[in-house]
């Protein structure tokens, strides 16, 4: 709201931007009920642009430094949260050409300061670098993997994007022509951040909500001033469609909500039954293993994981992670193993499946998910 007030003026427009962000940012289709890094990173990113607006008014370098530091903090929260700083640098170079080069360097250098401090504070720089930078470029970025695969993931997320943000995008389009350059650049920088992630999970699109809300507020103002009947009809129809799509989700059962929001993640619909089974058949300190990944199950069942890797991509990309899972199975660390995905889905060598068959036995099938308990250890196993 403050940023809209600084860029576009008018308290009503600023209030409209806040209402739009609060409404569309809460869309269940964007997984808004999860505490994502995109949501957390949007605060320092927006604050960095607010500081940049103060610099444009006063031309005092301290505001530029603050904008850069906040950009660096946003990047430390989420690597894609570069939109505030990127929009500011693009604005300086677009509007001031060579004259904005020095300010761009100062802002960029200030952004690197908190990042450098975090790297210096790490126990091992190599581990920090892999966690923050290397891990993303190994598989979780648009620059890795096949273009067709990334396109397929984008198409899978397109329905959630349309259900969650189509009306807001329409309002933003209405306000685009009269929007300040910085607001338009902010949306472009946010799109770059979303595309850079590469995996196109629905919660990635939360990053688009703040700039779209600013532009959408300008669209509402433009619609009001122009009194366009066709514009009102189009917005009214889009509003009705948005409600028709969203209200059935609100009225559905928890299982129905999960099916509507995660149609391609079937295991999320089994978690309630699985967590009840785990709590009934293990003690509080017993460790469990969801093979390959079902991070929320550990929380719902209130049981510690047998390894330190909770996400599919962790095991797939982090060196040594797959070996640690195999070792945990070989040593029978988990009191229960829940086969959420097939072993061969990630480990095509078949080693994990062979270890599981040798050291565990099937004891139940809960809502279609096989559950295994450790076999009794032979004397040779104990010695090893």
């Amino acid at each position: 709201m403050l940023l809209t007030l600084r860029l576009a003026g008018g308290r009503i427009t600023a209030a409209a931007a806040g209402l739009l962000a609060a409404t569309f940012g809460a869309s269940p289709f964007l997984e808004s009920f999860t505490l994502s890094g995109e949501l957390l990173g949007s605060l320092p990113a927006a604050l960095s642009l607010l500081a940049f607006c103060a610099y444009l008014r006063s031309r005092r370098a301290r505001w530029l430094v603050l904008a850069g530091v906040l950009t660096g903090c946003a990047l430390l929260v989420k690597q894609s949260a570069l939109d505030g700083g990127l929009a500011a640098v693009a604005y300086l170079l677009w509007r001031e050409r060579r004259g904005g080069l020095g300010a761009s360097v100062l802002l960029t250098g200030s952004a690197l300061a908190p990042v450098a401090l975090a790297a210096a504070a790490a126990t091992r720089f190599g581990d920090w670098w892999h966690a923050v930078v290397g891990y993303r470029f190994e598989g979780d970025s648009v620059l890795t993997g096949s273009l067709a695969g990334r396109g397929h993931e984008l198409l899978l997320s397109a329905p959630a994007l349309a259900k969650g943000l189509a009306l807001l995008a329409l309002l933003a389009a209405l306000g685009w022509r009269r929007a300040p350059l910085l607001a338009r650049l902010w949306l472009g920088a946010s799109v770059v951040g979303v595309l850079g992630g590469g995996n196109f999970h629905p919660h990635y699109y939360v990053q688009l909500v703040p700039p779209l809300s600013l532009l959408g507020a300008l669209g509402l103002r433009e619609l009001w001033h122009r009194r366009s009947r066709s514009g009102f009809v189009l917005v009214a129809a889009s509003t009705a469609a948005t409600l028709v799509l969203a209200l059935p989700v609100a009225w559905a059962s928890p299982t129905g909500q999960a099916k509507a929001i995660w149609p391609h993640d079937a295991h999320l619909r089994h978690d309630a039954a699985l967590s009840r089974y785990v709590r009934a058949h293990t003690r509080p300190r017993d460790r469990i293993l969801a093979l390959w990944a079902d991070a929320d199950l550990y929380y719902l069942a209130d049981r510690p994981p047998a390894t330190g890797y909770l996400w599919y991509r962790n095991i797939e990309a982090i060196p040594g992670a797959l070996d640690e899972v195999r070792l945990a199975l070989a040593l029978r660390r988990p009191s229960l193993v829940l086969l959420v995905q097939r072993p061969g889905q990630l480990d095509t060598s078949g080693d994990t499946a062979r270890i599981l068959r040798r050291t565990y036995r099937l004891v139940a099938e809960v809502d279609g998910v096989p559950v295994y308990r450790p076999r009794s250890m032979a004397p040779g196993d104990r010695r090893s």
Side-chain angles (χ1 to χ4, degrees):
M1 291 170 68
L2 281 171
L3 193 53
T4 304
L5 189 63
R6 297 289 185 270
L7 286 176
R11 293 184 178 181
I12 294 177
T13 305
L19 287 172
L20 289 173
T23 303
F24 288 93
S27 171
F29 299 112
L30 305 183
E31 303 174 344
S32 60
F33 45 84
T34 63
L35 189 59
S36 64
E38 287 77 12
L39 179 63
L40 294 173
S42 66
L43 176 60
L47 288 175
S48 70
L49 270 185
L50 196 60
F52 183 68
C53 288
Y55 164 76
L56 292 178
R57 290 198 315 271
S58 66
R59 292 293 168 171
R60 292 181 178 177
R62 64 187 181 187
W63 288 113
L64 204 59
V65 171
L66 179 59
V69 169
L70 287 166
T71 297
C73 293
L75 285 169
L76 289 174
V77 174
K78 187 68 179 181
Q79 296 95 322
S80 63
L82 47 71
D83 47 295
L86 182 59
V89 170
Y91 181 89
L92 288 169
L93 297 178
W94 182 277
R95 275 289 172 88
E96 302 180 12
R97 307 300 188 205
R98 290 185 179 180
L101 190 59
S104 300
V105 171
L106 179 58
L107 192 153
T108 304
S110 301
L112 292 175
V115 178
L117 182 62
T123 306
R124 292 180 58 190
F125 175 77
D127 291 343
W128 180 90
W129 179 263
H130 180 268
V132 178
V133 180
Y135 175 76
R136 304 298 303 182
F137 281 99
E138 283 181 13
D140 280 0
S141 78
V142 76
L143 300 176
T144 55
S146 68
L147 186 60
R150 296 302 181 198
H152 178 66
E153 290 174 347
L154 177 60
L155 287 175
L156 288 178
S157 69
L161 175 62
K163 292 174 186 177
L165 293 182
L167 174 56
L168 185 58
L170 172 62
L171 293 173
L174 292 174
W176 180 265
R177 191 166 59 90
R178 294 184 181 274
L181 174 62
L182 186 57
R184 287 181 279 176
L185 289 172
W186 187 20
L187 177 59
S190 297
V191 171
V192 170
V194 171
L195 293 176
N199 289 327
F200 300 106
H201 298 300
H203 61 263
Y204 282 13
Y205 300 115
V206 171
Q207 187 170 346
L208 300 176
V209 171
L212 280 176
S213 298
L214 194 162
L215 293 166
L218 296 177
L220 284 173
R221 187 171 70 180
E222 184 73 8
L223 189 63
W224 180 260
H225 288 323
R226 288 170 53 188
R227 306 292 177 119
S228 168
R229 180 175 297 180
S230 59
F232 278 120
V233 170
L234 184 58
V235 169
S238 299
T239 302
T242 300
L243 290 172
V244 166
L245 290 168
L247 288 178
V249 178
W251 295 331
S253 66
T255 301
Q257 290 175 334
K259 186 176 182 179
I261 296 167
W262 292 296
H264 304 291
D265 286 335
H267 73 88
L268 293 169
R269 303 197 290 271
H270 307 311
D271 286 346
L274 285 174
S275 62
R276 287 194 297 268
Y277 181 89
V278 170
R279 287 196 300 269
H281 294 84
T282 58
R283 295 167 296 185
R285 293 186 178 181
D286 287 345
R287 290 178 288 184
I288 64 171
L289 178 64
L291 205 66
W292 290 101
D294 192 355
D296 58 313
L297 179 61
Y298 299 107
Y299 170 78
L300 294 173
D302 195 19
R303 297 295 185 267
T307 72
Y309 306 104
L310 306 184
W311 308 102
Y312 190 96
R313 285 291 300 132
N314 291 164
I315 303 170
E316 189 177 39
I318 297 175
L322 178 58
D323 291 335
E324 184 172 327
V325 172
R326 291 170 176 165
L327 180 62
L329 291 172
L331 296 178
R332 299 171 175 83
R333 284 179 191 161
S335 297
L336 287 179
V337 175
L338 302 108
L339 211 61
V340 179
Q341 290 111 7
R342 295 178 293 103
Q345 185 172 326
L346 193 151
D347 183 7
T348 56
S349 71
D351 290 344
T352 301
R354 284 190 288 272
I355 295 171
L356 181 66
R357 287 195 300 268
R358 188 178 73 244
T359 57
Y360 282 79
R361 58 187 175 87
L362 180 67
V363 294
E365 188 170 294
V366 180
D367 204 10
V369 177
V371 180
Y372 292 79
R373 274 198 177 277
R375 297 181 185 272
S376 300
M377 294 181 70
D381 293 332
R382 293 192 185 96
R383 285 196 298 272
S384 62

